[in-house]
Amino acid sequence: AIMEEEMGYFPVTEEGTGETVMVPAKAKRSSTDQDIALAKYLQSTGAKMYGAFWCPHCSRQKELFGKEAWKYITYVECSPKGYKSQFASCAADGVDGYPSWKFGNGKSQGGEMELLNIAT
């Protein structure tokens, strides 16, 4: 619990492989109706956020959405040691920094963004 609070992630042993992977902490802030509406819209358009469990900018991006909205965001874990890592997919999609957004209209944007900028 202390590591989660201090670092923003904690180790978990995968049942199938016995391998230790890192799980990012859940968002703590409550979402507004606008946060949820934006997250649902992004989900409907096929947008994805690529990140890494150890990335503080990714954690802050998650907090901007809040806990209720975050469940609608398609999140792709890029760190090989991250929970449900999709490292090969991140490399194939050309992700070179975190967080990175790939929007349904084909546009990409890197870096932590305010929700207003994601919405436009």
Side-chain angles (χ1 to χ4, degrees), residues 48-51 58 94-102 108-111:
K48 297 179 184 177
M49 187 185 117
Y50 296 81
C58 301
V95 175
D96 61 359
Y98 312 117
S100 288
W101 285 92
K102 303 269 183 184
S108 299
Q109 177 70 41

Side-chain angles (χ1 to χ4, degrees), residues 48 50 76-78 86-95:
K48 297 179 184 177
Y50 296 81
V76 182
E77 176 62 52
C78 293
Q86 297 179 47
F87 177 75
S89 174
C90 298
D93 288 346
V95 175

Side-chain angles (χ1 to χ4, degrees), residues 52-114:
F53 70 87
W54 47 261
C55 169
H57 299 288
C58 301
S59 295
R60 285 193 293 271
Q61 188 75 86
K62 186 188 313 182
E63 281 299 324
L64 286 175
F65 278 97
K67 58 187 170 191
E68 295 84 5
W70 183 251
K71 66 184 173 189
Y72 297 105
I73 298 297
T74 301
Y75 173 73
V76 182
E77 176 62 52
C78 293
S79 175
K81 288 285 188 185
Y83 180 66
K84 295 186 179 178
S85 176
Q86 297 179 47
F87 177 75
S89 174
C90 298
D93 288 346
V95 175
D96 61 359
Y98 312 117
S100 288
W101 285 92
K102 303 269 183 184
F103 298 103
N105 61 7
K107 292 184 181 179
S108 299
Q109 177 70 41
E112 186 179 337
M113 298 170 58
E114 293 294 326

Side-chain angles (χ1 to χ4, degrees), residues 4-66:
E4 176 186 355
E5 243 179 74
E6 295 296 319
M7 303 295 290
Y9 55 88
F10 55 97
V12 171
T13 303
E14 292 223 64
E15 288 182 26
T17 64
E19 183 180 352
T20 299
V21 294
M22 301 298 176
V23 176
K26 294 180 179 179
K28 295 171 183 66
R29 184 183 76 78
S30 293
S31 303
T32 66
D33 290 342
Q34 289 176 319
D35 298 337
I36 295 168
L38 174 59
K40 286 180 175 181
Y41 171 75
L42 291 170
Q43 180 186 53
S44 75
T45 63
K48 297 179 184 177
M49 187 185 117
Y50 296 81
F53 70 87
W54 47 261
C55 169
H57 299 288
C58 301
S59 295
R60 285 193 293 271
Q61 188 75 86
K62 186 188 313 182
E63 281 299 324
L64 286 175
F65 278 97

